[in-house]
Each structure stands twice: as structure tokens, then as C-alpha cells.
């Protein structure tokens, strides 16, 4: 072993020499030059590293082939690669990919679905292990994959073209968001839930590289988009970096920037410089939703409105979704002052204070049962509605899903309600019943739903309507129920990373950990999420973004017209 060569690199070079180099030589008809960042850049020389990092985008674009070595072969990863190659070839057939029959090809391979015990299935266990490798959440691999002309995923003697690998990942992701895809008769419900839903949660990192590749391609084709920086940084928010500066520097090859990598700069200056450039180009302060006191580090001199990208990656699941809500819709028409960064790195913006936090309610780890018990108690109050006029049972359901739709359909809460909405509502109700350990008739009775006139009373208690189209979906059988409950559980697990918050005037929602009673809720022009603020003299510190049911889509404008809220200049420090 060469002195100074890390153990992983030593193993990788050994496998390259034994398995990969012969095939590369055969393809190029010559001995290829090998560039390895761990060897070709002096990692201890910050000046050299800075200059070389600025060249890495062109290095990957120019490379004949990029090798993604995912680790030493333990027999399972190479097995997964071989099966993924086979699956990708099936998906390339006319009946494959995203069509409703995109799973029927599995009938040819009983080993993929037999026994209905996914935990014991060797093949899917190996695939899950490959998808779940920490390798896919390293921020540097995004650029390597997105910019390369040819990429191969390699482990031992097994290799797969990344385009084939990506095709399978896209297929897995599409299964979980296709409400029309039904479980095939040859596959048991447990295996189906694993393939159609569990696997999807493991391909997130892989899909990030795909999205960033599309951004980089658009840049190369001169389709200038001022939001490309924002798309890249938010896509990689959960990706890890040993050096926190690399949360920014590892993305430089994907978009145009005036900045250059300099590892001698303090990390907080790198983050501030990135946001300053982004703000100058877009005029948006959407980034504030990713900031807050909970990500503050004592050693950082960083304003609370600047995201701490390095710390964010260690709090996976703690970020609220952006680009799906529009809390500030219509505020621009009332704008008091255009946002700007003033002296001492103070952000000035127009916004309105909507009220105070009265109560915070953190949930214990794994507290799905206690949350569902709260939902049942909250929804069981008869003849009372949520503050925006909807039934309390609907409010509990929408709080559970944070007003999102697991199938990514825009009209989840609009008439006519799609069947997918009813499936998830009923999955939510059944999960609530199971947590209370009561039989169906007693449970629905406690919520005011009459089992004998189910469609009518269900429609009234959930949607506030006499009877909604599709409410009889229950009569079709409960084959879809396990997957519906799984999707609800996944949403709740995500939400329980937050703290439930109650405003003094009755709004409820989710806020960042560290929210305190008497903190303020504000809607700020240019930020799609409401913000929790903490007043310090005449200025405010950002605690973090939040979700408040009934304040997420421009409702604040009506509140202003009713003179409940007034627009003011807010100074964030």
C-alpha cells in the first residue's frame, strides 16, 4: 500500500486494475489515463485544492469515462448491479417503464416476488442495500455524475451503465406516485408495498444527480435560468460534505457563477457570498425558509436569515417543502419596501405579523401512535370547525399530510376529489383506528361517521359536503389499504421531525424545533412559507419556516383587507 493513500482508494485502485482497466483498454484501444481526485489534488494544500476545485467541472466534462466506485464488493452489491441491468433491459421493452403495465414483466422472474416476504427476498434486499449506500448522498458525486459523458457504476467485477441504473431508479420513483397502478395478481400485498413504495424512499439521492444533470445541460445549451443555483442547492440540501464549504463548491460546475472556490475563506463567508449572489440575480428571499436559529453554530458568525447548508444536511427531514406553497401570494401588490441587504448584514423585507405562538407540542421519537390519538381526540369534538371553516377531521388529515398529496396531483383538495384522495383519507382513518385498538363501527361512530350511511356521513365529516363523488370507494375492497397506510405513516414520520404549534387565534401547524410560546408568525413577501420570528429589540431573528393550515396560499391578503394584519418593514438579523 502506498503511503498516504486512504484505505478505500487503495481498494478501489486494486479493483480497477483487476476488473475495470482491461475493459477500458478494450474500448479505447489504448491504455487510458486515470485521474483520481484523492491522488491528483493535494488535499492538505488549501491553495492548490482551491485552484483545482475550480477546474473539476471541465475535468468531468472532458473525461472519456467516469467510474462511480460504490465500495468494496461484499457479494450483495454486485448481485444488485446484475439484477438492475436485467431490470433496465426489461423496462426498455414496449411494455416497460411508466405504462400501467410497467410491472407485468416481473412474471418472468418468480424470484422477484415469491413468498410475499420482502424482508427475506435476497434480490430486493441487495437492491435496497445498493440504493441506500451513503455514496449517493455525498455532495461531490452529484457533479461527477451530472457532468460526465459516460458513467459506469462499478463494484468488483460488476458494472452497469449509469443511464440504465438511472432508468430503474426513475421507474421505482414513478411507481410510488402513480395512483392508477394497481397491484398485479401474481404479487402479494407485502411484496407490492415494498417494491412500489419502500424502494422509492431509497432512490432520492440518485434522482438528485439526474435533476442536476438536466440543469447543467440547460446551462451548456445556453438556456440561462437565474434559478439554477437555487435548484441545485435545494436539491442537494440533504447531501453530506466532510468540509462544509463543499456544500457550495461541489456545485460550481453545474451553473455559472462569479465566485471561485477558496478554502482559506471562513465557511460563513462562503455561505453569505453564495446567498448574496443568488439574491442579486433573483431578487427572491425564498432561501430564508431554509434558515433559522435551530441550525446556528456558536462558532459561526452567520445571520439567522442565511441558511447553514452544512448543518442542514445533518437534519434530514427537518426542512419544510418549498415551491408547493404560496403564503406570500398577493403581498407584492401591497409591498412597502423592496427587499435589500443593509449594513451589518441586516435583511430588510416587507411582511406582516399574523399572530403569536400560544403552545408548542413536541412529539416523542416514533410517536405515530400518540399523534394519531391526538388527531382522534381533536376530530371527535362535535359541532365545531377549524378556524377556516373546514371540518376538524379534514383539518387533522391535512395537518397529517401537511396539505401535500402523496401522488403529486394538483387537485387533491378540490372537487371532484380524485380516488387517490379518498384512498389516502381512508388509510389515515384506518391508521387512526388501529392506534386506538377499536373495531371499525365503534371507531367511526366516535367520529360521527355512520357505518350504515357511510358515504353521506363520511362526506360531511371529512369534506363538509352532503356526498362527494367517489366516497363509496370503501365498497371496492381494501386491497389498496396497506399502501395507503404506509404513505400516511411516511408523511407523519416526516412531520414528527417538527414541533406542533398552536397560534393564539386557533391556527395549528408544524414549526421548527426550538419554537417557543410568544414567538411570532410572519408572512414575508418573497418567501413562500410563513416564518417563525423572535423579536430582539426592534429587529427579528429567524427561528425557521413553518406550516400553518390556512395561511399557506395567500390568505394573508384577505386578513389585511379585513384589517386583521398590517404590512410593515421587517429587519431580520
Amino acid at each position: 500500500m502506498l503511503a498516504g493513500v486512504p484505505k478505500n482508494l487503495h481498494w478501489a485502485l486494486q479493483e480497477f486494475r483487476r476488473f475495470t482497466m482491461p475493459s477500458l483498454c478494450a474500448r479505447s484501444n489504448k491504455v487510458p489515463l486515470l485521474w483520481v481526485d484523492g491522488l491528483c489534488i493535494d488535499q492538505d494544500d488549501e491553495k492548490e485544492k482551491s485552484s483545482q476545485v475550480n477546474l473539476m467541472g471541465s475535468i468531468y466534462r472532458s473525461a472519456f469515462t467516469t467510474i462511480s466506485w460504490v465500495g468494496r464488493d461484499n457479494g450483495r452489491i454486485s448481485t444488485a448491479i446484475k439484477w438492475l441491468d436485467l431490470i433496465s433491459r426489461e423496462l426498455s421493452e414496449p411494455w416497460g417503464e411508466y405504462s400501467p403495465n410497467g410491472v407485468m414483466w416481473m412474471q418472468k422472474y418468480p424470484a422477484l416476488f415469491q413468498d410475499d416476504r420482502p424482508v427475506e427476498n435476497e434480490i430486493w434486499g441487495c437492491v435496497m442495500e445498493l440504493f441506500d449506500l451513503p455514496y449517493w448522498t455525498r455532495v461531490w458525486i452529484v457533479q461527477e455524475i451530472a457532468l460526465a459523458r459516460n458513467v459506469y457504476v462499478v463494484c468488483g467485477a460488476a458494472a452497469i451503465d449509469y443511464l440504465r441504473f438511472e432508468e430503474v431508479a426513475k421507474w421505482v420513483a414513478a411507481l410510488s406516485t402513480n395512483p392508477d397502478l394497481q397491484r398485479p395478481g401474481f404479487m402479494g400485498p407485502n411484496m407490492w408495498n415494498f417494491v412500489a413504495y419502500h424502494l422509492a424512499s431509497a432512490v432520492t439521492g440518485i434522482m438528485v444527480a439526474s435533476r442536476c444533470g438536466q440543469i447543467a445541460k440547460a446551462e451548456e445549451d445556453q438556456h440561462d435560468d437565474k434559478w439554477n443555483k437555487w435548484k441545485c442547492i435545494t436539491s442537494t440540501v440533504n447531501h453530506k460534505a466532510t468540509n462544509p464549504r463543499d456544500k457550495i463548491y461541489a456545485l460550481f460546475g453545474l451553473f455559472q457563477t462569479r465566485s471561485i472556490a477558496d478554502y482559506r475563506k471562513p465557511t460563513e463567508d462562503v455561505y453569505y457570498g453564495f446567498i448574496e449572489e443568488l439574491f442579486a440575480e433573483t431578487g427572491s428571499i425564498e432561501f430564508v425558509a431554509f434558515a433559522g436559529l435551530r441550525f446556528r453554530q456558536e462558532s459561526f458568525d452567520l445571520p439567522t436569515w442565511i441558511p447553514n447548508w452544512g448543518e442542514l444536511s445533518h437534519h434530514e427531514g427537518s426542512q419544510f417543502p418549498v415551491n408547493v406553497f404560496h403564503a406570500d401570494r398577493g403581498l407584492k401588490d401591497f409591498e412597502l419596501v423592496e427587499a435589500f441587504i443593509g449594513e451589518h448584514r441586516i435583511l430588510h423585507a416587507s411582511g406582516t405579523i399574523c399572530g403569536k405562538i400560544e403552545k408548542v407540542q413536541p412529539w416523542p421519537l416514533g410517536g405515530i401512535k400518540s399523534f394519531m390519538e391526538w388527531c382522534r381526540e381533536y376530530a371527535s369534538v362535535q359541532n365545531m370547525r377549524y378556524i377556516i371553516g373546514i371540518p376538524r377531521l379534514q383539518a387533522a388529515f391535512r395537518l397529517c399530510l401537511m396539505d401535500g398529496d402523496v401522488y403529486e396531483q394538483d387537485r387533491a383538495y378540490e372537487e371532484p376529489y380524485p380516488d387517490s384522495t379518498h384512498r389516502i383519507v381512508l388509510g389515515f382513518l384506518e391508521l387512526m383506528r388501529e392506534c386506538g385498538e377499536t373495531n371499525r363501527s365503534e371507531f367511526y361512530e366516535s367520529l360521527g361517521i355512520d357505518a350504515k350511511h357511510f358515504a353521506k356521513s363520511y362526506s360531511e365529516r371529512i369534506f363538509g359536503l352532503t356526498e362527494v363523488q367517489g366516497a363509496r370507494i370503501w365498497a371496492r375492497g381494501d386491497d389498496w389499504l396497506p399502501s395507503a397506510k404506509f404513505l400516511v405513516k411516511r408523511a407523519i414520520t416526516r412531520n414528527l421531525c417538527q414541533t406542533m404549534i398552536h397560534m393564539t387565534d386557533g391556527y395549528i401547524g408544524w414549526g421548527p424545533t426550538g419554537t417557543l410560546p410568544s414567538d411570532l408568525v410572519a408572512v414575508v413577501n418573497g418567501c413562500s412559507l410563513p416564518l417563525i420570528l423572535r423579536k430582539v429589540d426592534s429587529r427579528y431573528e429567524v427561528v425557521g419556516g413553518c406550516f400553518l393550515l390556512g395561511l399557506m396560499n395567500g390568505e394573508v391578503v384577505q386578513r389585511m383587507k379585513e384589517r386583521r394584519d398590517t404590512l410593515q418593514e421587517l429587519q431580520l438579523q
Side-chain angles (χ1 to χ4, degrees), residues 4-56:
V5 176
K7 189 183 296 183
N8 277 350
L9 178 54
H10 175 65
W11 289 333
L13 292 173
Q14 282 186 324
E15 290 194 359
F16 287 168
R17 181 175 61 187
R18 185 179 174 191
F19 302 116
T20 311
M21 294 298 281
S23 62
L24 288 177
C25 291
R27 288 178 59 209
S28 61
N29 295 318
K30 59 184 178 181
V31 178
L33 295 174
L34 190 64
W35 186 89
V36 183
D37 56 0
L39 287 178
C40 298
I41 301 175
D42 185 349
Q43 302 294 321
D44 296 323
D45 187 331
E46 292 189 340
K47 184 177 180 181
E48 178 185 330
K49 189 163 64 170
S50 299
S51 64
Q52 291 297 306
V53 162
N54 291 312
L55 300 174
M56 286 184 73

Side-chain angles (χ1 to χ4, degrees), residues 462-532:
I462 293 282
F463 299 101
L465 300 170
T466 305
E467 187 169 337
V468 297
Q469 183 181 2
R472 289 187 174 85
I473 191 172
W474 190 269
R476 302 180 190 176
D478 56 4
D479 188 52
W480 43 266
L481 196 54
S483 59
K485 288 193 293 186
F486 169 78
L487 292 170
V488 172
K489 278 184 181 178
R490 187 170 68 181
I492 296 172
T493 301
R494 175 200 64 200
N495 294 343
L496 293 185
C497 294
Q498 318 292 345
T499 295
M500 185 182 283
I501 53 177
H502 304 250
M503 288 180 63
T504 52
D505 52 2
Y507 289 94
I508 55 175
W510 301 103
T513 54
T515 301
L516 300 174
S518 79
D519 281 342
L520 304 172
V521 175
V523 175
V524 181
N525 185 41
C527 186
S528 63
L529 292 180
L531 300 174
I532 305 290

Side-chain angles (χ1 to χ4, degrees), residues 289-297 311-312 315 317-320 497-499 511-515 542-546:
F290 285 81
L293 287 169
R294 59 180 166 164
F295 303 121
R296 200 172 196 174
Q297 291 173 279
E311 190 65 19
L312 265 169
H315 295 266
S318 62
Q319 301 88 39
F320 291 92
C497 294
Q498 318 292 345
T499 295
T513 54
T515 301
V542 177
V543 180
C546 66

